[in-house]
Amino acid sequence: MIRLDADRPATFCDGLSRRDFLHAGAIAPLGLTLPELQRAKAANGKDADVNCIMLFLVGGPSQLDTWDMKPNAPAEVRGPFKPVQTNAVGMQISEIFPKMAKHADKFSLIRSVYHTATAVHDTGHQMMQTGRLFTGGVEHPHIGCALGYLKGGRGELPAHVLLPKPIGRTGGNLPHGHTAGYLGKPHDPFILNADPNAPGFKVPDLLPPEYVSAIRAERRQKLRDAVDGATEVFEKNAQSKQLDDNFKLAYKLMSSEKARNAFALEKEPEKTKDRYGRTRFGQSCLMARRLIEAGVRFVTVNMFETVFDEVTWDIHGSKPFTDIVQMSKEVAPNFDAAYTALLEDLSERGLLSNTMVVALGEFGRTPKVNPAGGRDHHPGAWSIVIGGGPLKGGVVVGETDELGYAPKSRPVTPGEVAATLYKGLGLDPHKELPGPQNRPMPMVDYGLKPINELF
């Protein structure tokens, strides 16, 4: 915790003694626990840049039961669901998404995504959110963090917000790819760390505790200003400069009416909340729309925090996982309602034309249904849903073989998906960032190109 009223100085790992007011947390008494040293660059007014909402479908949806049906395959492969025609010519999806079928003109499918890394959740999380696998101790930045680094935030809002919580335990004990990596913690996303569907929901990192009135918060800011002059030597230290910038951002966010309003779901009509679905994911998607409308550039929504002891896309069949039928009764309707409500809402508000929406998981599932009534991890082929902004709708990119096991045409790597999002955001995918030891690092590997069929 950061304390403003410490009774003795603190010594940090670099050996410097900090003044009391910097006791790691002039922010915490105000109710702020922003990601460490986060800093956003202010930008005046709105711009016409493209935004992005990434819906991460933690667990890995089965391509065969969702967006790449194989009705002519053997029963143990094709599964229990039938394909239905969408409103896009030639595009069929699973019957478990009846609402999506009516909006296929607003999104496209990439059916030939694959990777060759280990078939564990964490590696897929890394690759799909950064375009790369973390190797040699190098963590690459999330696409939204790279965007924030290059363009900064708009006005009083962070460039990148993550809802509702980061991905947690999924079995691999590896980083999940949601941070700024080598760009540094000042460029990490603002993390909500709360369930927007919970009764009495409040944003913990923006709203001060009820016992801290606005007057007291203002007094604390004035107190800090009063002692600034006594810390000239300390303030020359680089780490303290980051903390100082982070404090200013934290205070700006906490005191900003615009920032508060962006997170204020209570201002939404009950009918709208119902439309998205009264679930953690549904209300997170609604909040994502509010944030984009307010000026946030990139919003990541994790559908689940873990794959254990919860009904998710991770359909191994036996506990603590999910089977295919459970997925179809709980997970699919949740996604179908929230995703289509988001598309409709963005479209009705004139935001879909400059907001990409991508829904993706970390891998696909094995074609053959296992004895437990589920499917296991399979990074050899899977489907993602993408559209909005400059991207075409109603297009199908790539195809898999007759069993949905491997790409048959137009194989697509996670790096190419990242390159596509960067291009859609108006960025050169090969622009170099300051990597480890300030070595130039392209945002995606040289030679990888965007999926130009979508533009």
Side-chain angles (χ1 to χ4, degrees):
M1 288 179 58
I2 294 184
R3 292 184 53 200
L4 192 61
D5 57 345
D7 56 4
R8 59 187 176 84
T11 300
F12 285 67
C13 58
D14 61 5
L16 287 176
S17 178
R18 304 303 193 240
R19 293 290 189 256
D20 292 349
F21 79 92
L22 281 171
H23 222 300
I27 298 171
L30 305 180
L32 294 161
T33 56
L34 289 173
E36 296 176 63
L37 307 180
Q38 183 189 12
R39 179 175 54 185
K41 300 176 182 178
N44 294 323
K46 291 188 176 182
D47 54 49
D49 289 350
V50 173
N51 311 301
C52 184
I53 298 174
M54 175 182 284
L55 308 177
F56 209 97
L57 311 184
V58 178
S62 161
Q63 69 277 18
L64 292 147
D65 301 301
T66 57
W67 303 300
D68 190 13
M69 308 289 289
K70 301 294 180 182
N72 297 321
E76 66 271 18
V77 171
R78 67 174 180 261
F81 312 120
K82 297 178 181 178
V84 295
Q85 181 60 43
T86 69
N87 69 344
V89 177
M91 182 193 293
Q92 292 185 332
I93 62 174
S94 175
E95 62 183 343
I96 64 178
F97 302 120
K99 294 181 179 179
M100 278 189 73
K102 300 176 183 178
H103 294 279
D105 57 325
K106 299 182 180 71
F107 63 81
S108 291
L109 297 177
I110 306 174
R111 286 178 170 160
S112 51
V113 183
Y114 79 102
H115 75 69
T116 57
T118 307
V120 297
H121 295 282
D122 307 10
T123 58
H125 298 157
Q126 294 171 13
M127 298 174 80
M128 295 309 293
Q129 295 187 99
T130 72
R132 288 188 175 97
L133 183 66
F134 297 174
T135 56
V138 177
E139 293 189 21
H140 299 277
H142 187 290
I143 296 166
C145 296
L147 173 67
Y149 172 83
L150 293 171
K151 293 192 175 183
R154 295 185 179 108
E156 301 163 337
L157 290 160
H160 179 199
V161 176
L162 187 153
L163 308 174
K165 294 182 179 181
I167 299 172
R169 186 171 62 99
T170 54
N173 198 31
L174 298 170
H176 296 281
H178 66 263
T179 72
Y182 58 69
L183 291 178
K185 289 191 175 296
H187 304 288
D188 278 354
F190 177 92
I191 300 175
L192 181 66
N193 269 327
D195 180 357
N197 191 49
F201 162 75
K202 290 183 179 180
V203 183
D205 280 351
L206 285 185
L207 303 180
E210 292 180 0
Y211 62 85
V212 181
S213 67
I215 294 177
R216 288 185 64 192
E218 184 178 357
R219 285 175 180 170
R220 291 181 188 275
Q221 172 68 8
K222 289 181 178 179
L223 175 60
R224 184 181 186 279
D225 291 342
V227 298
D228 271 346
T231 59
E232 182 178 354
V233 175
F234 167 69
E235 294 291 351
K236 291 180 180 179
N237 179 266
Q239 289 184 350
S240 69
K241 178 63 168 63
Q242 288 184 327
L243 182 57
D244 187 62
D245 288 350
N246 193 52
F247 182 95
K248 291 175 182 176
L249 172 61
Y251 192 82
K252 181 172 66 174
L253 283 173
M254 187 206 70
S255 59
S256 166
E257 182 179 357
K258 184 176 181 180
R260 291 169 182 262
N261 286 338
F263 290 91
L265 285 185
E266 69 272 12
K267 296 190 175 184
E268 291 290 335
E270 296 301 307
K271 185 177 181 180
T272 301
K273 293 180 181 179
D274 292 340
R275 181 181 174 190
Y276 277 83
R278 300 288 184 145
T279 63
R280 180 180 57 199
F281 179 67
Q283 298 307 294
S284 293
C285 287
L286 175 54
M287 182 173 287
R289 188 270 289 165
R290 290 187 63 87
L291 291 169
I292 291 294
E293 194 168 32
V296 173
R297 295 184 184 277
F298 201 109
V299 181
T300 299
V301 179
N302 291 325
M303 191 167 184
F304 301 105
E305 184 182 350
T306 182
V307 295
F308 300 111
D309 299 310
E310 186 174 4
V311 179
T312 74
W313 298 104
D314 200 20
I315 54 170
H316 288 292
S318 56
K319 292 186 179 298
F321 304 104
T322 309
D323 63 32
I324 296 175
V325 175
Q326 284 178 306
M327 178 273 292
S328 69
K329 291 181 177 179
E330 296 184 43
V331 183
N334 183 2
F335 176 78
D336 195 35
Y339 175 67
T340 56
L342 180 60
L343 292 183
E344 290 174 341
D345 212 356
L346 289 170
S347 181
E348 290 166 2
R349 293 168 180 269
L351 296 169
L352 189 60
S353 61
N354 72 330
T355 304
M356 295 186 294
V357 181
V358 55
L360 43 77
E362 59 266 41
F363 44 51
R365 316 301 299 192
T366 49
K368 188 174 181 179
V369 177
N370 64 32
R375 302 182 193 268
D376 300 313
H377 299 179
H378 181 66
W382 78 97
S383 303
I384 70 172
V385 184
I386 189 169
L391 304 176
K392 296 177 182 177
V395 174
V396 176
V397 175
E399 61 180 329
T400 55
D401 59 27
E402 63 275 7
L403 299 180
Y405 184 81
K408 182 178 179 181
S409 67
R410 188 58 170 99
V412 173
T413 66
E416 289 172 301
V417 174
T420 301
L421 293 177
Y422 279 131
K423 178 177 179 178
L425 291 166
L427 301 173
D428 176 2
H430 299 118
K431 182 177 178 60
E432 294 179 341
L433 301 174
Q437 288 80 50
N438 279 324
R439 297 195 312 270
M441 181 80 72
M443 293 197 292
V444 301
D445 290 333
Y446 292 117
L448 292 180
K449 298 179 181 180
I451 305 167
N452 288 316
E453 299 96 312
L454 294 175
F455 292 91

